[in-house]
Amino acid sequence: MAAEETNELLGNVPLPYSLEAEQSVLGAVLLDPGVLTQLLDVLKASYFYLAQHRAVYTVMVRMFSASQTIDFVTLLDALKAEGVYDEAGGKAYLLSLMQMVPSAANAMAYARIVEDKYYLRSLIQVSREIIGAAVQETDDVRAVVDMAEQRIYDIRQDKQGTGLHHVKEVILETYDRLKKISGSDKKDFLGMSTGFSELDRYIGGLNPSDLILLAARPAMGKSAFALNIAQNVARAGGKVAFFSLEMSAEQNVSRMLSAQARIENTKLRTGELAADEWVRLAEGADTLSKCPLYFDDTSGITVPEIKARCRRLHELDLVVIDYLQLMSSGRRIENRVQEVSEITRSLKIMARDLDVPVLTLSQLSRGTESRTGHRPQLSDLRESGSIEQDADIVMFLYREDYYEQNEENHNQATCIVGKNRHGAVGDIPLHWDGMHTEFTAMERVHAGA
């Protein structure tokens, strides 16, 4: 890119704003302070371009919150106390605000103009940052693209802290949530079911913004368990994004077809299917193809890339990542523990930003191998760093017959809830069907399901 073009792009382009709209909003509040009850839902002080207008609106909001009367005299006094205006300048400007507003009834229309101009200014400022980063050519190209998409997304979300809330407000919100989850349509407000009723009782289902970690030693079946949960959610109509860094999308779907059609997984690999199995396979494929389930088998994917792809899907109900140790931070970090810690923090932030549960698989260290019983525990989390701290729920998958087989433990498995911010910890017994790579609840097995 030529230097002249770069300078032109990065030049001091005038930022858009509407002086008339900003003045009309403030004038409308002076004429009818009651309009603030509506304005506060859409308008923040930072949306005003002129510093003096930001100051006036800030004082108005503070007076309104304190139930103080807002009129020409009281506002002028407050502005003088803040040092915004002197006596003469304040009188003249406040009078001009009141005289120029066309109608206080149109305050919301003026506020929308102020808001729109704010978003345009934000877009211009972010565009300058993106152009600057691209022109420098010093960062990783993927990192620049991820940064650009995230900054644009932040504008759309208008990400700002929600601030402090009095306990009374939170209690009212809590009561409202309790009414919803105890009513006749409670299924619409509860977390998505994992398909394992006892696990749902422990963790309350798959809830938005939760980072859920499923950890196990290799060959315990954690990928299969994650696929089972994803399939259960998708069968119930939930939209699922499954990021597989270890196996291809075809391998994962083959496993799901094995469970859906009740055909041994080995037969799907060799193609040695009987006539009736081809029929079951077609039926299973038809059922599975109707599920809102999406696969991405990009190796070494980063959290920003996952977030960007999830945003394009819209209205997700679950994100599954298989698995943590194969992810990349996209940055050069020599210490792998620090890198994994950064990834887990980013995953938790992603879960909150997307407002969706994120189920992430993780390897366990060899510590389980040296212990009697081999039962996993939180200290076994490989390259742990902040994994345990960032996760809302930590689950372990354990099969005793992997180490020592006998008639009592044959095909038995346990999902161990080792950490649960929302409730109790404990063991959930499962049945492992290796031929169909499927876990089922023990009550279903006893019931002959």
Side-chain angles (χ1 to χ4, degrees):
M1 181 180 287
E4 311 84 64
E5 293 178 89
T6 303
N7 291 333
E8 183 180 344
L9 287 170
L10 297 175
N12 294 319
V13 178
L15 295 175
Y17 78 101
S18 171
L19 175 64
E20 295 78 9
E22 291 192 5
Q23 290 176 326
S24 295
V25 167
L26 300 177
V29 175
L30 272 170
L31 293 175
D32 181 9
V35 301
L36 264 175
T37 56
Q38 296 175 292
L39 293 176
L40 288 172
D41 288 334
V42 298
L43 202 58
K44 300 180 177 67
S46 58
Y47 289 7
F48 289 88
Y49 179 70
L50 297 180
Q52 62 184 15
H53 291 165
R54 290 196 296 271
V56 172
Y57 187 73
T58 298
V59 172
M60 284 177 166
V61 172
R62 187 165 64 246
M63 293 176 68
F64 177 81
S65 301
S67 298
Q68 296 175 352
T69 301
I70 300 175
D71 60 22
F72 176 84
V73 176
T74 58
L75 181 60
L76 176 61
D77 186 64
L79 290 170
K80 287 194 299 181
E82 292 281 338
V84 178
Y85 289 117
D86 57 20
E87 179 78 21
K91 278 184 179 180
Y93 197 68
L94 293 185
L95 283 172
S96 69
L97 290 178
M98 296 173 69
Q99 291 168 356
M100 68 120 11
V101 59
S103 171
N106 296 329
M108 285 295 289
Y110 311 143
R112 292 296 183 191
I113 297 173
V114 173
E115 182 186 35
D116 289 346
K117 299 297 183 184
Y118 163 76
Y119 283 126
L120 289 174
R121 291 196 303 274
S122 299
L123 188 59
I124 291 172
Q125 290 165 347
V126 167
S127 298
R128 286 174 175 169
E129 293 177 25
I130 295 171
I131 292 169
V135 168
Q136 292 297 319
E137 297 188 24
T138 55
D139 292 327
D140 179 81
V141 174
R142 290 198 305 172
V144 174
V145 173
D146 292 338
M147 179 275 288
E149 188 161 8
Q150 182 64 43
R151 296 289 279 117
I152 298 296
Y153 176 73
D154 290 346
I155 293 175
R156 292 187 64 183
Q157 293 296 102
D158 189 26
K159 292 177 62 174
Q160 294 189 9
T162 56
L164 297 170
H165 297 278
H166 190 275
V167 65
K168 183 178 179 180
E169 297 176 34
V170 182
I171 288 173
L172 292 173
E173 292 174 1
T174 303
Y175 265 98
D176 182 58
R177 183 182 64 83
L178 286 171
K179 286 179 181 177
K180 289 176 179 177
I181 64 175
S182 60
S184 57
D185 55 348
K186 62 181 180 181
K187 288 185 179 180
D188 296 334
F189 303 99
L190 290 171
M192 290 290 297
S193 172
T194 62
F196 299 89
S197 57
E198 191 168 351
L199 177 58
D200 289 339
R201 283 195 290 271
Y202 271 92
I203 67 174
L206 302 166
N207 290 280
S209 80
D210 273 355
L211 175 59
I212 305 165
L213 197 75
L214 174 62
R217 288 292 294 156
M220 284 290 171
K222 60 182 180 297
S223 295
F225 191 47
L227 279 170
N228 295 160
I229 292 175
Q231 194 167 356
N232 292 335
V233 171
R235 279 174 182 158
K239 188 183 286 187
V240 182
F242 198 110
F243 294 87
S244 178
L245 287 75
E246 185 175 34
M247 294 190 296
S248 68
E250 184 180 346
Q251 288 173 315
N252 281 311
V253 171
S254 178
R255 286 186 167 197
M256 298 179 81
L257 283 170
S258 174
Q260 183 71 40
R262 309 309 298 165
I263 300 173
E264 291 183 27
N265 195 37
T266 53
K267 290 189 175 184
L268 292 179
R269 290 200 300 268
T270 61
E272 298 175 355
L273 276 68
D276 66 309
E277 290 174 330
W278 279 107
V279 173
R280 294 208 307 273
L281 181 64
E283 293 173 348
D286 180 62
T287 300
L288 198 57
S289 65
K290 295 174 183 175
C291 293
L293 182 57
Y294 300 81
F295 282 95
D296 188 315
D297 53 12
T298 306
S299 59
I301 197 168
T302 65
V303 176
E305 288 171 337
I306 291 175
K307 187 188 291 188
R309 294 174 194 188
C310 287
R311 283 201 298 263
R312 294 177 196 131
L313 278 179
H314 304 296
E315 298 182 357
L316 269 176
D317 293 288
L318 174 64
V319 176
V320 183
I321 302 170
D322 183 13
Y323 60 91
L324 176 64
Q325 281 76 19
L326 293 179
M327 294 183 69
S328 169
S329 66
R331 297 173 53 204
R332 295 176 182 175
I333 302 177
E334 294 181 4
N335 188 316
R336 180 57 181 168
V337 173
Q338 289 181 357
E339 185 174 25
V340 171
S341 297
E342 180 177 313
I343 291 170
T344 58
R345 280 193 294 270
S346 299
L347 286 172
K348 176 56 186 175
I349 293 170
M350 182 184 81
R352 293 190 60 182
D353 286 350
L354 298 178
D355 196 31
V356 65
V358 176
L359 174 61
T360 305
L361 279 58
S362 176
Q363 291 276 25
L364 287 177
S365 69
R366 292 189 177 90
T368 58
E369 310 295 324
S370 59
R371 283 198 306 271
T372 303
H374 311 290
R375 182 183 171 90
Q377 54 194 35
L378 289 171
S379 59
D380 296 324
L381 290 172
R382 187 176 172 188
E383 297 168 327
S384 58
S386 64
I387 295 177
E388 180 186 346
Q389 174 184 327
D390 293 323
D392 298 284
I393 297 167
V394 178
M395 305 186 300
F396 301 105
L397 199 58
Y398 174 61
R399 290 192 293 115
E400 187 181 347
D401 69 348
Y402 176 82
Y403 298 101
E404 184 177 350
Q405 293 187 8
N406 56 59
E407 290 185 7
E408 291 184 4
N409 66 19
H410 183 60
N411 288 340
Q412 290 184 7
T414 306
C415 177
I416 304 166
V417 180
K419 176 189 176 182
N420 185 7
R421 282 203 175 116
H422 312 306
V425 298
D427 295 357
I428 294 95
L430 302 171
H431 179 266
W432 166 240
D433 180 357
M435 289 193 300
H436 304 105
T437 56
E438 183 182 32
F439 286 92
T440 51
M442 286 301 292
E443 58 262 30
R444 283 182 56 192
V445 175
H446 295 321

